[in-house]
Amino acid sequence: MEAKPLTRVEGEGTLKLILKDDLVQDVVLNIFEPPRFFESILKGKRFEVIPDITARICGICPVAYQMSGIQAVESVFNVKVSKEVEDLRRLFYYGEWIHSHAIHVFFMHLPDFLGLSSFFEFLKLNPDLSKKALFIKQTGRKILEVIGGRDVHPVTVCVGGFTHFPKDEEIKSLIPSLEKSYDYSLEILDFLSTLNFPQHLLPEDILFVSLKEEDHYPILKGKIYLSTGVGLDKDEFLKYFYEFEKPHSTAKYSKTKDGKTYIVGPIARFNNSFDNLTENSKKIALKYGVKPVERNMSKTIIVRVIEILDSIERSIELINLYQKNSLKNEKYEVSEGEGTGVSEAPRGILWHYYKINSNGLIEKANIIPPTSQNQSVMEELLRKNLTNKELKDESTLISYGEYIVRDFDPCISCATHFLKIDKLNLDNR
Amino acid sequence: MRVGIFKFSSCDGCQLSFINLSGELAELENFSIDYFLEGQSVNNYEYFDFSFVEGSVSTTEEIERIKDIRERSKVLVGIGACAVSGGVQSIRNFRNIDDIKTVYNTVDITKNVLENALPISQVVKVDFEIRGCPVSTDVVKDFINSILIGKSPHNYNYPVCLECKRRGNICLLVLNKPCLGPITTAGCNALCPSVNRGCYGCFGPYKDANIEAFYNLFKEKGWGIRDFIENSLNPYNHLFVEKLWKQNL
């Protein structure tokens, strides 16, 4: 394996429409977020910086970077953390799922269904429900702060465990807000079920790729599972998938080695691991009209709320088991070698690879984030929905394209207005 | 008050403080967010009383863009380590750019990339800076409150140690753990020392830090300061490294 590019995970891009006689002929998703070269800047630094530096790839999902990264280092050093430490990491990660999903559902995705410009407008339109939405987001944030010190770029994750374990009462104090958030999420689902869901259908032959965990809906670790039934070990990632560059994009693309397009993220997890949702979550999903195999990307807003509910239920279980005095960090010795780590970031599987030398210095790094894996399918779905559309009204076409992109919760959707139409008229070439 | 929130090369983490404050901001009468790509799809790019800028300037396009924002802004505020001192991108400022670029095989992709990731103050005049990687939502809230009532924002030009004392932490240096608290700007409420970890300097150096004394302390303890810097604060603060390197460590 060799050090491969780190791709852009958020920021800016354009949608290029190729037109003939004002009919869309082709679509190119153009991501031009400045490259930040994480894999290069990690080289030569000590392994301890991995949770700190890779967290800075994304302010909305730093814990995902810390979890995949630390797993990779622990693989190199052959460290196996205790069940209790693993549970605390899981709870920490649920905090990020709740927080990140709430941001996407309410701030990025919901305004599209209502024809609004922003969540700020929703706050004025429906103050009651929007305050409940903010409460859910804040609950996720609180978990992150109690375990990680702060919500963005938390500071406590280290090889073998955590620098600090919260007191029992700090962890238990999270329960009332979680319970309230559970009820609020159900109210949100009631509201969402009154909306129209446009048909943003994924192609029939798409592969759903997500992790599989035995007793849980996947989040922290596990085999990489393809909807064809293949299960891969985390070390085999590059045997089945490959990244490639296109000149118009600083984010890389990914496909399977045999050229198939795949998708990661909530819809893949939901379709592959529906059975591992809690009994309550399963019932709620069916009640609100989502079940495997779901192919409509606009329904991912429902799937995300189901994942919030599932995370809340699992969090409460873990909190009830929590006992500070049962926690202990695993000891380790620095040794040379290679290792990989993979976990489910809110937007899909995030894979890390490191080669570390006997002094603990990083020799090679390779990070494959979910957004680059979804870039191919995002572009295909845009092409499918926009080709042959007539360019009568630019802003309608832009909004439509943006809507589809936001279904994916790409980190680049951080710039909600990232699709500016760049017309390339074939007639004038 | 017309407000713009902008992003340059960064992780989006500092802008999250505005998302966190959205409930409170929506209730303000004289506070209109005209431009905020992360938060809204209808944006008005004209003139701003206050512009908040996240991120470092790291491509030729970004130089032009920050200049244009400056021209349209009465007051420009840099938020976070990237804007203030280059941030994590600025690690490359101390490396060979051609090696750094090997991340991409296609040369075309990186042709507009600057050799150094710059703090915005190296390109345009900056009126205020809010430190942190990321900035603290409470500090941003306090800043907005201050400007709304026409008072100068709180000046954090004192070290993390003061916040540590206020929280009643035992000094990590006394416990023989490397910690950058004594030379780092406060504002995080002594985050790391409170969770059993030495400060790694993500808020950057404070102006009047006694770096010589700090260096001598490291020498006395037998800790390699250069290694510590390389593996801790370097990622977040170009400023820090420059300041310390000048001491000929």
Side-chain angles (χ1 to χ4, degrees):
Chain A
M1 289 193 269
E2 54 179 5
K4 286 255 208 86
L6 170 68
T7 63
R8 293 303 314 144
V9 282
E10 57 198 4
E12 301 164 324
T14 58
L15 176 69
K16 189 179 266 185
L17 298 180
I18 298 168
L19 301 166
K20 193 175 182 191
D21 303 330
D22 271 353
L23 274 186
V24 179
Q25 299 290 305
D26 198 7
V27 182
V28 180
L29 193 59
N30 183 342
I31 294 180
F32 57 84
E33 176 77 7
R36 295 196 291 149
F37 309 106
F38 277 92
E39 285 131 329
S40 289
I41 60 183
L42 283 164
K43 262 195 247 175
K45 291 192 176 288
R46 281 182 64 84
F47 68 91
E48 285 102 333
V49 305
I50 289 170
D52 292 334
I53 293 190
T54 64
R56 265 84 182 171
I57 293 172
C58 177
I60 297 172
C61 55
V63 174
Y65 284 89
Q66 297 188 331
M67 292 298 115
S68 291
I70 214 71
Q71 194 189 108
V73 180
E74 287 169 354
S75 286
V76 177
F77 299 161
N78 229 339
V79 181
K80 205 182 164 308
V81 295
S82 65
K83 161 97 178 31
E84 288 76 15
V85 164
E86 196 179 291
D87 281 351
L88 187 58
R89 286 184 178 173
R90 221 176 261 282
L91 176 60
F92 189 35
Y93 214 156
Y94 285 138
E96 175 156 294
W97 271 32
I98 297 167
H99 183 236
S100 170
H101 274 0
I103 291 174
H104 185 262
V105 167
F106 305 120
F107 285 84
M108 314 293 180
H109 212 184
L110 182 64
D112 280 333
F113 291 85
L114 304 169
L116 299 177
S117 156
S118 69
F119 181 74
F120 297 105
E121 291 182 2
F122 187 61
L123 265 160
K124 295 204 173 101
L125 203 72
N126 193 337
D128 176 56
L129 205 60
S130 50
K131 286 197 174 128
K132 287 173 176 163
L134 287 173
F135 187 89
I136 299 168
K137 179 189 155 308
Q138 181 61 22
T139 299
R141 227 183 126 201
K142 242 189 253 171
I143 299 180
L144 293 167
E145 286 174 354
V146 167
I147 302 174
R150 64 180 167 199
D151 53 346
V152 180
H153 312 328
V155 299
T156 55
V157 173
C158 62
V159 175
F162 288 89
T163 64
H164 162 89
F165 299 115
K167 294 188 192 114
D168 290 353
E169 56 269 30
E170 288 175 290
I171 291 281
K172 309 279 177 202
S173 74
L174 295 165
I175 288 186
S177 343
L178 282 163
E179 285 174 343
K180 228 179 187 181
S181 294
Y182 196 87
D183 294 342
Y184 288 172
S185 302
L186 291 174
E187 279 185 52
I188 302 276
L189 278 177
D190 276 337
F191 173 76
L192 291 178
S193 65
T194 65
L195 305 174
N196 276 331
F197 293 88
Q199 296 283 315
H200 297 161
L201 293 181
L202 290 168
E204 287 288 324
D205 59 347
I206 190 93
L207 277 178
F208 296 102
V209 177
S210 63
L211 298 184
K212 267 243 169 191
E213 291 201 63
E214 271 173 32
D215 315 316
H216 303 90
Y217 194 73
I219 182 163
L220 188 66
K221 58 178 197 178
K223 286 218 163 196
I224 302 164
Y225 180 82
L226 284 66
S227 48
T228 48
V230 179
L232 312 173
D233 186 78
K234 62 189 174 67
D235 291 342
E236 296 176 301
F237 186 88
L238 291 181
K239 275 192 205 157
Y240 284 82
F241 304 102
Y242 79 106
E243 272 198 317
F244 55 96
E245 290 167 16
K246 287 192 183 181
H248 60 264
S249 168
T250 52
K252 298 207 167 186
Y253 287 75
S254 256
K255 285 211 174 193
T256 65
K257 279 265 165 84
D258 50 2
K260 286 216 177 75
T261 307
Y262 68 99
I263 183 167
V264 300
I267 203 162
R269 293 192 287 257
F270 182 82
N271 286 334
N272 286 344
S273 288
F274 179 81
D275 288 342
N276 281 353
L277 286 166
T278 66
E279 288 308 315
N280 289 329
S281 311
K282 268 186 255 187
K283 270 185 222 151
I284 294 164
L286 296 175
K287 182 180 165 196
Y288 289 96
V290 284
K291 61 173 198 298
V293 177
E294 180 60 60
R295 290 182 189 283
N296 187 359
M297 283 304 289
S298 76
K299 290 226 169 152
T300 54
I301 191 165
I302 303 266
V303 174
R304 283 190 184 88
V305 181
I306 304 286
E307 290 194 339
I308 290 176
L309 286 164
D310 205 69
S311 300
I312 294 176
E313 207 179 326
R314 300 282 191 201
S315 296
I316 294 173
E317 279 170 27
L318 293 173
I319 290 172
N320 284 327
L321 292 172
Y322 184 84
Q323 275 183 308
K324 185 185 177 193
N325 61 19
S326 70
L327 281 149
K328 210 173 97 223
N329 283 347
E330 216 51 49
K331 292 211 165 57
Y332 64 91
E333 270 172 41
V334 174
S335 59
E336 64 180 331
E338 296 172 292
T340 63
V342 67
S343 71
E344 285 281 358
R347 25 199 84 63
I349 54 173
L350 164 64
W351 186 82
H352 286 222
Y353 159 85
Y354 299 99
K355 184 176 182 199
I356 294 171
N357 72 18
S358 54
N359 295 320
L361 302 181
I362 301 162
E363 286 193 347
K364 276 183 193 169
N366 188 9
I367 299 171
I368 302 187
T371 295
S372 75
Q373 300 183 68
N374 277 343
Q375 209 180 331
S376 295
V377 58
M378 234 188 305
E379 206 171 89
E380 273 178 34
L381 207 62
L382 283 164
R383 193 171 291 127
K384 195 174 120 191
N385 282 282
L386 293 175
T387 305
N388 287 327
K389 281 249 159 36
E390 221 179 309
L391 188 78
K392 277 193 209 133
D393 171 8
E394 246 182 56
S395 68
T396 315
L397 214 52
I398 293 176
S399 313
Y400 187 50
E402 284 190 329
Y403 199 160
I404 292 171
V405 169
R406 290 187 201 113
D407 289 340
F408 286 84
D409 185 16
C411 283
I412 45 170
S413 82
C414 293
T416 51
H417 203 237
F418 94 105
L419 301 183
K420 294 170 208 142
I421 286 196
D422 182 358
K423 276 184 281 185
L424 186 69
N425 213 316
L426 285 179
D427 303 338
N428 301 336
R429 275 206 295 202
Chain B
M1 183 179 294
R2 299 170 78 166
V3 174
I5 301 159
F6 300 92
K7 171 191 149 65
F8 284 72
S9 298
S10 63
C11 77
D12 282 54
C14 291
Q15 290 176 88
L16 271 188
S17 52
F18 290 90
I19 299 264
N20 290 340
L21 294 171
S22 54
E24 282 123 302
L25 295 178
E27 282 172 17
L28 295 174
E29 273 174 24
N30 185 25
F31 194 88
S32 144
I33 300 181
D34 277 17
Y35 192 95
F36 183 19
L37 291 186
E38 188 180 69
Q40 60 200 30
S41 57
V42 176
N43 290 285
N44 183 11
Y45 185 67
E46 275 176 29
Y47 159 81
F48 305 98
D49 292 303
F50 274 86
S51 287
F52 293 90
V53 179
E54 171 193 287
S56 58
V57 172
S58 77
T59 62
T60 47
E61 285 86 357
E62 286 189 328
I63 292 182
E64 297 314 311
R65 195 151 66 87
I66 190 67
K67 284 182 180 164
D68 195 59
I69 292 169
R70 174 70 266 188
E71 272 182 28
R72 293 162 189 269
S73 310
K74 200 160 142 199
V75 179
L76 187 78
V77 187
I79 56 167
C82 297
V84 173
S85 82
V88 69
Q89 291 76 236
S90 67
I91 294 175
R92 76 163 181 259
N93 301 6
F94 305 92
R95 303 271 183 89
N96 178 329
I97 189 69
D98 293 328
D99 290 346
I100 290 284
K101 284 184 177 179
T102 56
V103 157
Y104 293 95
N105 302 313
T106 318
V107 181
D108 216 32
I109 292 173
T110 57
K111 64 174 189 266
N112 300 323
V113 167
L114 301 175
E115 194 170 335
N116 290 336
L118 305 172
I120 51 175
S121 62
Q122 283 192 17
V123 187
V124 294
K125 179 176 167 280
V126 174
D127 301 298
F128 291 100
E129 289 182 332
I130 303 179
R131 299 283 192 97
C133 184
V135 292
S136 137
T137 299
D138 288 341
V139 172
V140 172
K141 186 176 165 179
D142 189 53
F143 184 91
I144 293 170
N145 277 336
S146 300
I147 58 175
L148 285 173
I149 58 170
K151 130 182 189 305
S152 19
H154 183 77
N155 182 355
Y156 285 90
N157 191 33
Y158 49 86
V160 171
C161 299
L162 261 71
E163 294 180 332
C164 234
K165 290 285 163 284
R166 206 181 294 144
R167 287 187 72 161
N169 293 336
I170 299 172
C171 177
L172 290 175
L173 288 165
V174 171
L175 297 175
N176 278 321
K177 258 194 162 179
C179 177
L180 293 167
I183 56 170
T184 299
T185 300
C188 62
N189 198 19
L191 174 71
C192 289
S194 308
V195 291
N196 189 28
R197 175 179 179 176
C199 165
Y200 63 100
C202 68
F203 276 55
Y206 95 96
K207 201 169 108 256
D208 305 318
N210 187 343
I211 288 181
E212 206 183 327
F214 187 74
Y215 172 48
N216 287 336
L217 175 82
F218 261 61
K219 235 172 32 186
E220 239 171 67
K221 300 261 187 195
W223 299 330
I225 196 166
R226 214 178 166 112
D227 269 2
F228 192 61
I229 289 163
E230 174 65 21
N231 286 298
S232 56
L233 57 144
N234 173 332
Y236 318 103
N237 280 284
H238 174 107
L239 263 185
F240 231 140
V241 184
E242 279 197 329
K243 201 167 174 138
L244 291 166
W245 255 222
K246 275 187 201 137
Q247 311 286 317
N248 291 321
L249 308 183

